[in-house]
Amino acid sequence: NEPPAHTRLRRLVAGAFGRGHVERMRPRIAELAADMLDGAGAVGEQLQSGASVDILADYAEPMPVFVIADLLGVPRRDHHDLRRWSQAIVRMYEPDVD
């Protein structure tokens, strides 16, 4: 969207990203981070099996999508779907995508 529609929409969601709200999310973000590292998470499974882990691709890159999923109320079991959809949306803006 372009202004003024973008400005109106941005104001609607700005509160969710304010410092106070994000600070209140700290415990949930810490829980998500721990879940990703334990045996149930993909990174945890890789670590337990002795496989190498790409910390950026496997841990740091998915984290913001999972936090946004929580903000949107997406159930944990669907976080990976949201990540996949997000990647597809971003990909359509890359040059030479058919």
Side-chain angles (χ1 to χ4, degrees):
N1 287 316
E2 298 294 330
H6 178 267
T7 306
R8 182 182 62 79
L9 294 170
R10 184 178 174 117
R11 279 191 195 121
L12 290 172
V13 299
F17 298 96
R19 183 176 180 176
H21 185 73
V22 171
E23 187 60 34
R24 286 188 297 277
M25 292 179 61
R26 181 184 295 270
R28 178 61 183 140
I29 294 170
E31 181 183 340
L32 281 169
D35 286 350
M36 291 173 71
L37 291 175
D38 74 12
V43 175
E45 290 173 3
Q46 289 171 297
L47 291 171
Q48 287 182 352
S49 72
S52 63
V53 173
D54 181 334
I55 198 70
L56 289 177
D58 298 331
Y59 188 76
E61 186 269 328
M63 177 60 75
V65 178
F66 295 165
V67 171
I68 291 168
D70 268 12
L71 281 171
L72 296 173
V74 175
R76 179 73 173 117
R77 68 182 177 278
D78 297 330
H79 283 194
H80 287 283
D81 286 335
L82 183 65
R83 179 176 176 223
R84 188 171 36 85
W85 298 333
S86 173
Q87 289 170 328
I89 290 167
V90 170
R91 182 165 161 67
M92 75 180 184
Y93 293 107
E94 293 178 2
D96 303 324
V97 174
D98 60 17

